[in-house]
Amino acid sequence: QVQLVESGGGSVQAGGSLRLSCVVSGSMFGVKTMAWHRQEPGKERVFVASISPGRSTNYADSVKGRFTISRDNAQKTVYLQMVSLKPEDTAVYYCNALPPWANWGHGTQVTVSS
């Protein structure tokens, strides 16, 4: 069973930066498109960014130009570099394949204060 462990979240002021990491156990990582999603309290989880096995990327309009997704297939890790953070980026961030595996990790909390 695939396990996903997100880390790197924290509390920053608006304009700050964070780098999230997600380590994936199990096989198939290298052939899967991987994605980051985020979820605010009381709201549905929404797409943030994705990266294909060939490293083609796609971003939600709200994060274009500020977030960068990358992957290290040897380490089975996907990253999300976030700069120029805004209070509206506050959420719990999750990674998963796209389409997602059945299980999700615990996520990592990002809090941006104004």
Side-chain angles (χ1 to χ4, degrees), residues 53-69:
R55 291 179 168 79
S56 295
T57 58
N58 190 28
Y59 297 93
D61 288 343
S62 59
V63 306
K64 279 182 182 176
R66 300 188 300 119
F67 290 11
T68 303
I69 189 171

Side-chain angles (χ1 to χ4, degrees), residues 21-67:
S21 299
C22 173
V23 179
V24 182
S25 67
S27 61
M28 304 298 290
F29 176 85
V31 298
K32 300 289 285 187
T33 291
M34 294 299 299
W36 284 95
H37 293 73
R38 65 188 182 189
Q39 186 171 22
E40 299 173 61
K43 296 187 178 180
E44 292 189 353
R45 194 172 293 158
V46 297
F47 171 83
V48 174
S50 65
I51 184 166
S52 72
R55 291 179 168 79
S56 295
T57 58
N58 190 28
Y59 297 93
D61 288 343
S62 59
V63 306
K64 279 182 182 176
R66 300 188 300 119
F67 290 11

Side-chain angles (χ1 to χ4, degrees), residues 5-12 17-23 35-38 48 67-71 77-83 85 89 91-95 107-111:
V5 180
E6 301 94 345
S7 63
S11 296
V12 297
S17 302
L18 285 171
R19 188 192 194 206
L20 308 183
S21 299
C22 173
V23 179
W36 284 95
H37 293 73
R38 65 188 182 189
V48 174
F67 290 11
T68 303
I69 189 171
S70 60
R71 65 191 296 162
T77 302
V78 59
Y79 302 98
L80 188 67
Q81 178 69 52
M82 308 184 295
V83 302
L85 282 161
D89 294 319
V92 178
Y93 284 71
Y94 300 88
C95 75
T108 186
Q109 175 71 48
V110 172
T111 303

